[in-house]
C-alpha cells in the first residue's frame, strides 16, 4: 500500500508541475519501465509522459511508442486510390476505400450535405461489452467520405488525398495550397513540384526530398533557399551548383569546387542532362561522392530542448519527426503550422492544436482530443471520434458535423451526456481500453494499403498471422502489347507517348504519362522516367532515415548525440558544433 500510494502522490505532484503557469519544471525524475503487449520489448514511460497522462486523465499505455504509431498508421490509407460507386447516388468516383470494403461510402459533396444525419445511426451503449467492439459495429454502418480533402477549395484535383486548396494537381498527398504538382507527399505551397517528399514554398522541383524555398531544383535533399541546381545535399543559399554537399551561399560550384560562371556553364552543357543515360550515370557517381562527407546528427534549427529529426522552431519536443512550430510534444509526426502544444502520440496535421493524444490527422483549432481519426476544424472535447468536424463534446461518434453531446452517434441532453460519459470511461478502464487507440484489427484497410507498411513493413504471412487484413493488388491486364521503348533524350519524345503504355523497370507494372507531366519534363529538359510513380516514391523514402533515434558518439569530439543514423552505419556523424565547423 505504501508503494502504490507513493506512486500516486508522485503523479499528482508532477501534474501540478505541468500546470503551474503552463511550464514544466522537473524537481525529480519518475520514469517507469513497461513491457509492450505486442512486441514484448521494454520501453520507458518518462516523467513527461506520466504528467501528461495525469493531466489528461488517461491510463498508461500498454504498447511502446513504435507499436502505438504502427497502430495509428494502420488506419491511414493515404496513397492507394480506387474507382468505385457512391453508395448514395450510384455515380463513379475516386476513393481511398475500395469497393470490396464492408463500408458505406459517399461522394464528398453528398457526405458533406444535409441529405443525411450522423445521428440517424445512433446506438445505445452496452455495458456488458467492450467499447471498441461496439464502435466497430457503428463503423460498419455509418457512411464514410470517399476522400479526405477540402474538395470545395480544390480545382481539378480528384486524385489527391489528405489534401486541400490545390489546383491542377495529381497524386499528391498530405498536401495543401499547391498548383500543378504531381506525385508528392508533404507538399506545401509549391508550384510545379514533381516527385517530391516534404517540399515547402518551392517552384520547379524534381526528385527532391526535404527541400524548402527552392527554385528550379533537381535531385536534391535537405536543402533550403537554393536555386538553378542539381544534386545538392545539406546546402543553404546556393545557386547554380551541381553535385554539392554542405555548402552555404555558393554559386557556380561543381562537386564542391568553385569553377566560375563561364567554366561552370560549359561544364553543365557538356553533361547532356536531357538524356536518361547521362542522368543515371551522374546520379550513381554523386551517391558515391556523398560518402566522403560528414552528416549532422539531426536536421532542424531554432529549437530548444528537442530531439528527433526534421524539427524546426520548436521547444520541448521529444522523439518527434517532421514537426514545426510546436512545444511540449512527444512521439508526434508530421505536425505543421503552429502554434501547436501539449500533444502526444499523433500523426499528421496541426494548425493550432493542443492537448491531443493518440490522434491521426487532427487539425485546425482542435483542442482536447483523445483517440481521433480525421477530427478537425473547430473541434473540442472529442473522445474516440472519426470524421468529426465543427463539433464539441462527442464520444465514440463517427461522421459528426456540427454535433454536440452525442455518444455512439446518439443524441443526449447535456447533463445526461456527461453522466454517461464518465460511466463509459470507468467501464473502459476496467476493460483496459481507456487511453488506447482503435485496435488495428478493426481497420478496414489492408495493412499493405496503409502508411504503416512504409514505416513498419511486414510480409503478407506476418500480416495475416497478426489477424490483420491484406489487400491484393488490383492489376489491369487489359493491355498486353509490346513494351514501348522510351527515347534516351527528352528532345526525341513525341506527343504520341501520351497514348503509350510504359512498363516499370522495377515492378513490371504498367503506367502512363499525363499531359501535365510530359509538359513538365519538356520545360525542365528532363528525361522520361523508366520507373512508375509508386516505385519512385519508394526510392525517395529510402533516402530518408527511419523515424528511430539512437545514441552514438560524435566522430570528432566524442560527445554522445541522439541521431537517426544507427551505430553500425558507416557515415561520419557529427554533433551540431562539429558539423558547423565543417561547412564551406
Amino acid at each position: 500500500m505504501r508503494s502504490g500510494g507513493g506512486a500516486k502522490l508522485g503523479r499528482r505532484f508532477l501534474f501540478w508541475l505541468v500546470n503551474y503557469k503552463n511550464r514544466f519544471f522537473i524537481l525529480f525524475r519518475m520514469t517507469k519501465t513497461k513491457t509492450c503487449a505486442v512486441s514484448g520489448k521494454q520501453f520507458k514511460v518518462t516523467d513527461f509522459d506520466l504528467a501528461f497522462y495525469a493531466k489528461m486523465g488517461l491510463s498508461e499505455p500498454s504498447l511502446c511508442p513504435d507499436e502505438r504509431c504502427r497502430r495509428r498508421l494502420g488506419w491511414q490509407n493515404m496513397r492507394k486510390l480506387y474507382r468505385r460507386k457512391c453508395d448514395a447516388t450510384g455515380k463513379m468516383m475516386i476513393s481511398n476505400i475500395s469497393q470490396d470494403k464492408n463500408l458505406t461510402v459517399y461522394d464528398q459533396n453528398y457526405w458533406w450535405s444535409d441529405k443525411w444525419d450522423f445521428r440517424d445511426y445512433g446506438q445505445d451503449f452496452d455495458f456488458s461489452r467492450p467499447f471498441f467492439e461496439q464502435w466497430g459495429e457503428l463503423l460498419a454502418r455509418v457512411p464514410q467520405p470517399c476522400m479526405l480533402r477540402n474538395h470545395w477549395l480544390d480545382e481539378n484535383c480528384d486524385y489527391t488525398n489528405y489534401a486541400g486548396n490545390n489546383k491542377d494537381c495529381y497524386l499528391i498527398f498530405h498536401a495543401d495550397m499547391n498548383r500543378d504538382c504531381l506525385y508528392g507527399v508533404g507538399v506545401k505551397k509549391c508550384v510545379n513540384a514533381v516527385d517530391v517528399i516534404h517540399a515547402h514554398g518551392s517552384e520547379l522541383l524534381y526528385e527532391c526530398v526535404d527541400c524548402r524555398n527552392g527554385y528550379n531544383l533537381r535531385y536534391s535533399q535537405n536543402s533550403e533557399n537554393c536555386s538553378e541546381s542539381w544534386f545538392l545535399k545539406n546546402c543553404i543559399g546556393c545557386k547554380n551548383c551541381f553535385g554539392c554537399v554542405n555548402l552555404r551561399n555558393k554559386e557556380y560550384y561543381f562537386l564542391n569546387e568553385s569553377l566560375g560562371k563561364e567554366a561552370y556553364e560549359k561544364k553543365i552543357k557538356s553533361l547532356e542532362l536531357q538524356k536518361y543515360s547521362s542522368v543515371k550515370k551522374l546520379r550513381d557517381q554523386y551517391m558515391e561522392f556523398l560518402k566522403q562527407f560528414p552528416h549532422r546528427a539531426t536536421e532542424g534549427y531554432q529549437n530548444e530542448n528537442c530531439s528527433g529529426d526534421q524539427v524546426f522552431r520548436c521547444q520541448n519536443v521529444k522523439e518527434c519527426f517532421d514537426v514545426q512550430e510546436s512545444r511540449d510534444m512527444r512521439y508526434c509526426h508530421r505536425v505543421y503550422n503552429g502554434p501547436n502544444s501539449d500533444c502526444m502520440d499523433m500523426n499528421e496535421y496541426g494548425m493550432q492544436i493542443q492537448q491531443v493524444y493518440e490522434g491521426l490527422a487532427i487539425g485546425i483549432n482542435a483542442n482536447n482530443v483523445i483517440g481521433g481519426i480525421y477530427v478537425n476544424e473547430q473541434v473540442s472535447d472529442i473522445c474516440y471520434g472519426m470524421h468529426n468536424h465543427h463539433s464539441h463534446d462527442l464520444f465514440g461518434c463517427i461522421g459528426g458535423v456540427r454535433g454536440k453531446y452525442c455518444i455512439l452517434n446518439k443524441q443526449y441532453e447535456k447533463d445526461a451526456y456527461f453522466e454517461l460519459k464518465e460511466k463509459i470511461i470507468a467501464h473502459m478502464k476496467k476493460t483496459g481500453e481507456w487511453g488506447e487507440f482503435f485496435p488495428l484489427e478493426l481497420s478496414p484497410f489492408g495493412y499493405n494499403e496503409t502508411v504503416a507498411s512504409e514505416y513498419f513493413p511486414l510480409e503478407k504471412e506476418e500480416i495475416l498471422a497478426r489477424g490483420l487484413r491484406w489487400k491484393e493488388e488490383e492489376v489491369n491486364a487489359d493491355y498486353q502489347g509490346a513494351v514501348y521503348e522510351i527515347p534516351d533524350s527528352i528532345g526525341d519524345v513525341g506527343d504520341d507517348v501520351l497514348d503509350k503504355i510504359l512498363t516499370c523497370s522495377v515492378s513490371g507494372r504498367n503506367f502512363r504519362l499525363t499531359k501535365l507531366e510530359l509538359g513538365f519534363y519538356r520545360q525542365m529538359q528532363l528525361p522520361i522516367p523508366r520507373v512508375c510513380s509508386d516505385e519512385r516514391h519508394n526510392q525517395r523514402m529510402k533516402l530518408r532515415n527511419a523515424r528511430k533515434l539512437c545514441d552514438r558518439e560524435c566522430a570528432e569530439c566524442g560527445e554522445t548525440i541522439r541521431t537517426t543514423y544507427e551505430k553500425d552505419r558507416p557515415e561520419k556523424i557529427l554533433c551540431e558544433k562539429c558539423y558547423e565547423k565543417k561547412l564551406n
Side-chain angles (χ1 to χ4, degrees):
M1 295 295 293
R2 290 181 180 179
S3 176
K8 188 174 182 180
L9 287 173
R11 292 185 196 180
R12 287 180 177 175
F13 188 49
L14 284 170
F15 175 45
W16 174 80
L17 290 173
V18 169
N19 285 278
Y20 179 69
K21 295 184 179 180
N22 294 319
R23 290 294 183 268
F24 185 31
F25 300 99
I26 302 176
L27 299 185
F28 66 91
R29 293 199 170 275
M30 193 180 83
T31 300
K32 297 179 64 175
T33 300
K34 301 189 68 173
T35 300
C36 177
V38 170
S39 69
K41 297 179 180 178
Q42 290 191 330
F43 65 99
K44 300 290 185 182
V45 181
T46 70
D47 42 19
F48 180 95
D49 300 345
L50 292 169
F52 183 88
Y53 301 142
K55 178 172 61 174
M56 298 285 285
L58 295 164
S59 302
E60 295 173 14
S62 64
L63 305 185
C64 65
D66 279 351
E67 290 299 335
R68 300 199 300 266
C69 183
R70 182 204 300 271
R71 185 171 56 183
R72 291 190 301 275
L73 294 182
W75 283 83
Q76 185 180 36
N77 175 16
M78 181 183 289
R79 298 183 61 255
K80 302 295 184 181
L81 305 183
Y82 309 93
R83 292 184 60 82
R84 63 165 294 155
K85 289 184 178 181
C86 170
D87 288 319
T89 65
K91 76 173 185 177
M92 294 303 294
M93 60 186 183
I94 306 300
S95 176
N96 72 325
I97 304 173
S98 57
Q99 191 75 55
D100 59 349
K101 300 292 191 300
N102 185 30
L103 293 174
T104 301
V105 182
Y106 287 171
D107 170 79
Q108 280 195 293
N109 287 321
Y110 195 97
W111 192 89
W112 283 94
S113 73
D114 57 3
K115 296 178 181 179
W116 73 285
D117 192 324
F118 78 101
R119 287 166 282 246
D120 292 341
Y121 299 84
Q123 62 188 56
D124 292 323
F125 188 82
D126 184 350
F127 284 93
S128 68
R129 302 165 59 204
F131 167 80
F132 287 131
E133 180 181 305
Q134 299 176 65
W135 187 89
E137 293 171 352
L138 184 66
L139 175 64
R141 296 191 299 114
V142 180
Q144 307 288 304
C146 65
M147 299 284 263
L148 304 179
R149 60 184 179 87
N150 293 334
H151 65 292
W152 52 88
L153 297 177
D154 288 341
E155 182 178 342
N156 189 28
C157 293
D158 291 342
Y159 291 83
T160 64
N161 196 23
Y162 284 82
N165 200 7
N166 298 302
K167 181 180 179 182
D168 297 325
C169 294
Y170 180 69
L171 293 180
I172 61 171
F173 310 95
H174 185 60
D176 302 284
M177 295 173 281
N178 303 291
R179 178 166 58 84
D180 298 327
C181 293
L182 311 168
Y183 312 119
V185 174
V187 195
K188 310 290 183 180
K189 300 180 181 179
C190 290
V191 178
N192 289 119
V194 177
D195 283 327
V196 297
I197 291 179
H198 294 175
H200 299 256
S202 300
E203 184 173 354
L204 293 175
L205 260 60
Y206 181 66
E207 283 289 1
C208 290
V209 177
D210 295 307
C211 289
R212 297 168 292 278
N213 303 320
Y215 178 79
N216 199 10
L217 204 58
R218 305 160 176 88
Y219 301 101
S220 297
Q221 185 175 6
N222 290 335
S223 294
E224 186 169 0
N225 297 324
C226 294
S227 61
E228 311 288 353
S229 298
W230 292 68
F231 299 110
L232 302 184
K233 187 166 186 182
N234 297 328
C235 291
I236 297 177
C238 293
K239 182 179 180 181
N240 291 306
C241 291
F242 188 101
C244 294
V245 189
N246 296 339
L247 295 188
R248 298 293 184 267
N249 304 312
K250 304 297 184 184
E251 188 171 9
Y252 303 120
Y253 271 62
F254 188 89
L255 298 180
N256 278 38
E257 293 185 3
S258 177
L259 294 185
K261 184 177 185 296
E262 185 176 348
Y264 176 85
E265 291 177 347
K266 183 178 180 180
K267 179 68 174 178
I268 295 300
K269 187 175 182 180
S270 70
L271 297 177
E272 297 185 300
L273 296 169
Q274 76 280 8
K275 293 184 176 181
Y276 174 80
S277 57
S278 299
V279 173
K280 184 179 185 303
K281 180 180 179 181
L282 289 164
R283 193 175 192 181
D284 292 342
Q285 292 174 347
Y286 175 68
M287 298 306 291
E288 287 297 316
F289 178 73
L290 278 176
K291 294 179 180 179
Q292 64 183 286
F293 292 91
H295 299 265
R296 68 197 306 177
T298 59
E299 296 295 330
Y301 53 70
Q302 296 181 8
N303 298 317
E304 179 183 349
N305 188 33
C306 295
S307 66
D309 203 20
Q310 298 294 336
V311 175
F312 301 91
R313 300 178 295 279
C314 291
Q315 181 183 28
N316 196 27
V317 166
K318 296 290 189 178
E319 309 287 323
C320 291
F321 302 86
D322 305 305
V323 174
Q324 299 178 8
E325 299 163 3
S326 302
R327 67 175 178 84
D328 299 328
M329 312 274 275
R330 294 294 188 278
Y331 320 118
C332 295
H333 306 155
R334 282 184 182 159
V335 182
Y336 298 103
N337 301 326
N340 307 300
S341 64
D342 295 308
C343 298
M344 185 182 292
D345 287 304
M346 180 183 149
N347 294 76
E348 303 289 344
Y349 224 169
M351 297 185 73
Q352 303 184 41
I353 62 173
Q354 58 182 339
Q355 290 187 239
V356 176
Y357 179 66
E358 283 283 18
L360 176 64
I362 313 296
I364 310 180
N365 296 314
N367 177 48
N368 195 25
V369 176
I370 298 173
I373 299 176
Y374 208 66
V375 173
N376 65 61
E377 294 188 75
Q378 318 300 329
V379 290
S380 63
D381 302 301
I382 306 291
C383 291
Y384 296 103
M386 186 177 190
H387 300 301
N388 301 156
H389 311 277
H390 302 282
S391 300
H392 66 87
D393 293 295
L394 300 178
F395 197 106
C397 292
I398 301 174
V401 179
R402 291 176 292 277
K404 59 181 178 179
Y405 309 126
C406 295
I407 296 175
L408 292 178
N409 286 35
K410 182 177 180 179
Q411 185 68 61
Y412 291 88
E413 294 296 328
K414 181 178 179 180
D415 291 343
Y417 167 84
F418 284 110
E419 181 179 354
L420 180 57
K421 175 184 175 180
E422 291 306 313
K423 291 180 179 178
I424 294 175
I425 291 175
H427 174 74
M428 292 178 70
K429 288 180 178 178
K430 292 179 180 179
T431 60
E433 298 172 291
W434 179 242
E436 301 290 342
F437 194 67
F438 305 104
L440 192 48
E441 293 78 6
L442 291 180
S443 173
F445 299 115
Y447 187 88
N448 55 318
E449 289 181 285
T450 69
V451 179
S453 65
E454 293 189 21
Y455 292 96
F456 305 96
L458 295 173
E459 296 296 329
K460 178 180 179 179
E461 294 73 17
E462 190 173 1
I463 291 171
L464 297 177
R466 290 183 177 217
L468 308 180
R469 291 180 173 86
W470 170 269
K471 170 66 174 173
E472 294 293 344
E473 184 176 356
E474 297 179 3
V475 179
N476 186 348
D478 293 341
Y479 179 80
Q480 298 294 335
V483 175
Y484 176 69
E485 296 294 337
I486 306 172
D488 191 34
S489 173
I490 183 62
D492 296 328
V493 177
D495 289 347
D496 63 330
V497 72
L498 298 177
D499 301 321
K500 305 294 184 180
I501 302 295
L502 311 182
T503 301
C504 176
S505 62
V506 175
S507 67
R509 286 177 292 183
N510 294 333
F511 68 102
R512 301 184 68 168
L513 299 185
T514 68
K515 185 176 181 180
L516 180 62
E517 185 179 359
L518 178 59
F520 176 83
Y521 296 143
R522 285 173 170 171
Q523 178 185 1
M524 298 283 281
Q525 282 295 286
L526 291 164
I528 301 297
R530 272 60 173 173
V531 178
C532 69
S533 61
D534 280 346
E535 291 298 334
R536 300 198 302 268
H537 171 77
N538 294 339
Q539 291 171 1
R540 287 191 299 277
M541 285 293 293
K542 290 177 182 178
L543 295 175
R544 305 188 92 221
N545 289 350
R547 289 172 171 171
K548 188 175 181 63
L549 293 172
C550 66
D551 291 331
R552 64 182 288 175
E553 293 182 354
C554 171
E556 290 286 335
C557 68
E559 178 183 347
T560 299
I561 50 179
R562 292 281 283 169
T563 179
T564 55
Y565 291 90
E566 296 180 1
K567 293 180 180 180
D568 57 353
R569 289 183 55 166
E571 293 94 340
K572 184 178 181 179
I573 310 302
L574 305 181
C575 68
E576 191 66 22
K577 290 182 180 179
C578 293
Y579 177 79
E580 291 291 333
K581 294 177 183 178
K582 297 290 184 179
L583 297 177
N584 293 318

